[in-house]
Amino acid sequence: MEENVNSHLEELTKKVMTTPDLESPSFDFKSSVMTEINTIEQSSVTTYEPLISIRAWVFIGLALIALVFYFVFGDITVTTGWLSKIGIERFYSFEISSPITNLNVSSTLVYAIVFFGIMLAIQIPLLKRYFDQRISVSS
């Protein structure tokens, strides 16, 4: 069995050794390939398109800010309305007060939050421009 395998291996090595060498590419092969790659148009499949548009992000942000202001400064009262017919009014006999009205915040914390917000607003566009340039150079 081993002799049969050895004979096949010897035949294979003889064939490999007797065949001529592989052809080498032409002198300007790399430059011709690169010019062909540069002439190919960019596919529309690879173009970046955000999942959520800028208008949608602005709307979401404004809605969140309005919701926070409503909970902080708004007057939240619960009316029973049609629930009194069902008998659920006993669950709404208490008043809901804003939990943030009794919160005392130091001025240092306020300054830190404002500074963090300013730095975040500055760094996001800078990082976006950096990564956009990095992507445009590599593609």
Side-chain angles (χ1 to χ4, degrees), residues 4-91:
N4 191 16
V5 171
N6 285 338
S7 66
H8 286 297
L9 284 175
E10 286 179 21
E11 289 176 21
L12 180 64
T13 53
K14 284 181 185 178
K15 285 182 184 177
V16 169
M17 297 302 268
T18 58
T19 57
D21 291 337
L22 294 175
E23 293 181 16
S24 61
S26 65
F27 180 71
D28 61 344
F29 176 75
K30 182 179 175 183
S31 61
S32 64
V33 169
M34 292 307 290
T35 55
E36 288 294 323
I37 289 174
N38 289 335
T39 58
I40 296 174
E41 292 183 21
Q42 185 179 7
S43 173
S44 62
V45 176
T46 58
T47 56
Y48 174 74
E49 202 170 303
L51 186 61
I52 300 175
S53 68
I54 293 175
R55 294 175 108 186
W57 278 116
V58 169
F59 178 74
I60 291 170
L62 290 175
L64 286 175
I65 290 171
L67 190 63
V68 166
F69 274 108
Y70 176 73
F71 282 128
V72 171
F73 300 114
D75 184 29
I76 302 173
T77 56
V78 178
T79 58
T80 57
W82 60 274
L83 293 175
S84 62
K85 296 176 183 173
I86 301 174
I88 303 181
E89 67 273 352
R90 65 178 172 261
F91 296 113

